[in-house]
Amino acid sequence: MPVVLTAIVIVFIVAWFVCFACQSGVTASNAKLKLFVTEKRVYQGEGVNRKDIIYIFVIALIFRIAVYIASVVYLYIFSEETTFGFADFLSAWNRWDAPHYIDIASKGYAGCIQDGEHLFLVFFPLYPWLLRIVHVVINNWEAACLVLSCLAYAAGSCFFYALISEEYGKRIAWKSLVLLSVYPFSFFFGAMMTESLFLCTMMAGFYFVKKHNWLAVGLTGIFCSLCRVQGILLFGVAGVEFFVYYKPFEMFKQHKGKEFIKLLFTKGIFLFLIPVGNFIYFYINYKVEGNPFQFSIYQKEHWYHSTTYFTNALKEIWGQAFGGNTQNTMIASVWLPELVIFAVTIILLFYGLRRHPLKYTAFLFVYTIINYSVTFLISGGRYMSCAFPLFIILGEILDRHPKFYNMVVAVSSVFFAIYMAGYLSWKQIM
C-alpha cells in the first residue's frame, strides 16, 4: 500500500509540473501533450458588488446563529439539569484547545504554564491576539471567542464567494460555499478555535492573488502565517500564480528577461512578506523558552505529534481503524473519516488538475500532505475543513450534475449534525 500511494503521488506531481511548465510559457513538445496540459475551462467568472458581499456576510452570520440554536436544543434534550443559562451554552463550546487560546489571550505565552512548562507555545498567536482586542468590547472571554470566530467565518465566506464567483460564476460560488458550510466538521468554524480565522486569512490571500495585488497578498500572508504553520503555503500559491500569469519562460524566449526581473523585484518581492508571520512565531518561542523551535519539542513530547512520511501516517490511521483494538467511538470520530477524506481528496485532485487553476490543486495537494504527515493525527477532519479547493472542485462537479447536489448537501448536513453532537458530548472530535 505505501508503494502504491507513493506512486500515485509521484504521478500527480509529475503531471502537475508538466502543466505548470506549459502554462508558464514552455512550449509542449507535441500537440497531444499540449492538449493534455492546457487548462480546460468551461465557465465564465462574474464580478460581485457590495450588495452581494453584504448578503453573503449576513447569511453566514445567520447560519452560525442557527447552528448555535441547534446546539442549545441538543443540550436541552440530553441534559438532566433543571436550569440552563447563557454560561452553560458558552461552556458547551469551550472544548479541547479552546481554553488554551483563552489562557494565552488573558495571560500571554509566558504566563501560561502547565506542569512547569510553556506547553501552549504550540498554538499560533493571531487568534489569541485578536481575541484580546475583541475582549475589550466583550468582557466575557468565551463570548468574545464565539464572536471572533463568527465574524472571521462571515468575512472568510465573503472572500471565498467573491473569489469563486470571479473564477466560475455566482452559481458555482454559492454551491461551493454551501458545501464548505455543511462539511461534517465545519461546525468548528463557529467554535473557539482557529479554523474560521485561518479560512478568512487564507481566502483573503487567494482573493488578492486572483487580483494580482501582490502587496496585499504579502500583507495578508503575514496574518495567515501568524494563524497556522500552513499559512506559509500562500507563498507557494502566489508564486505559482505569478509565474503562470507573467509566463517568464515565454518572456525570456522573447528576449524580455529584463522585464521579468523587474517584475520580480517590483511586484514579486512583496511575496517575501508572507513568512514574516512564521518568523514572529519563532521569535515568540525564542523569547519565552530560548529556542525558536521549542513548539516542535512540545508537540512531540506532550501531543505525540512528530513529522513522518505521509504513508506512515496513513498506515497508522488504517491500523487504528481496522486493527481490532480501537474503540468504536474513535473509529467513527477520527480514523475512518480521515481515511475517507484522504481518498476523496486524491480523486478530486486528479480530476481538478486540468479543469481548475493550478494554484488550487497545488494548495490542496500540499495542504493535504502536510496534514497527513504527522503521527497520531486526531484532528484531520477539522484541519481539512480549511482545504477549500475540495469544495470548489466538488461544487463544479455537482453544478454539472445537479441531481446529486441536493443529495450530497443533505448527507453532509446529517453528518454535520452528528459530529457536532459528538463534539458537544465530549467525544473524541477535536
Side-chain angles (χ1 to χ4, degrees), residues 92-110:
W93 283 93
N94 192 355
R95 295 279 190 269
W96 305 116
D97 293 343
H100 306 326
Y101 285 111
I102 293 175
D103 284 343
I104 296 170
S106 60
K107 303 174 185 177
Y109 282 100

Side-chain angles (χ1 to χ4, degrees), residues 366-417:
V366 179
Y367 183 78
T368 302
I369 295 299
I370 288 177
N371 286 332
Y372 281 83
S373 294
V374 296
T375 56
F376 197 54
L377 179 62
I378 55 175
S379 300
R382 170 164 67 94
Y383 296 156
M384 292 301 286
S385 64
C386 293
F388 71 92
L390 273 176
F391 311 103
I392 299 173
I393 298 172
L394 189 58
E396 183 264 331
I397 293 174
L398 294 177
D399 182 68
R400 293 184 295 107
H401 303 282
K403 292 182 180 179
F404 295 101
Y405 171 73
N406 292 333
M407 182 182 70
V408 171
V409 170
V411 171
S412 188
S413 299
V414 169
F415 281 100
F416 177 105

Side-chain angles (χ1 to χ4, degrees), residues 130-190:
L130 293 179
L131 181 58
R132 285 183 66 89
I133 296 174
V134 177
H135 186 255
V136 173
V137 180
I138 301 174
N139 195 41
N140 184 290
W141 284 107
E142 293 174 323
C145 275
L146 294 186
V147 170
L148 174 59
S149 293
C150 284
L151 291 177
Y153 167 75
S157 296
C158 292
F159 280 114
F160 180 88
Y161 181 83
L163 171 69
I164 308 310
S165 180
E166 294 200 8
E167 291 276 16
Y168 304 96
K170 294 180 179 180
R171 188 177 67 248
I172 291 180
W174 174 256
K175 289 182 177 179
S176 300
L177 181 58
V178 170
L179 292 168
L180 169 72
S181 300
V182 300
Y183 167 71
F185 293 93
S186 68
F187 63 87
F188 278 107
F189 288 136

Side-chain angles (χ1 to χ4, degrees), residues 39-56:
E39 186 181 331
K40 185 178 179 181
R41 299 295 302 275
V42 294
Y43 294 100
Q44 293 295 324
E46 298 177 77
V48 296
N49 53 40
R50 182 179 299 180
K51 184 178 179 181
D52 296 326
I53 296 302
I54 293 175
Y55 176 78
I56 294 298

Side-chain angles (χ1 to χ4, degrees), residues 149-150 173 207 274 311:
S149 293
C150 284
Y207 178 77
I274 296 173
T311 59

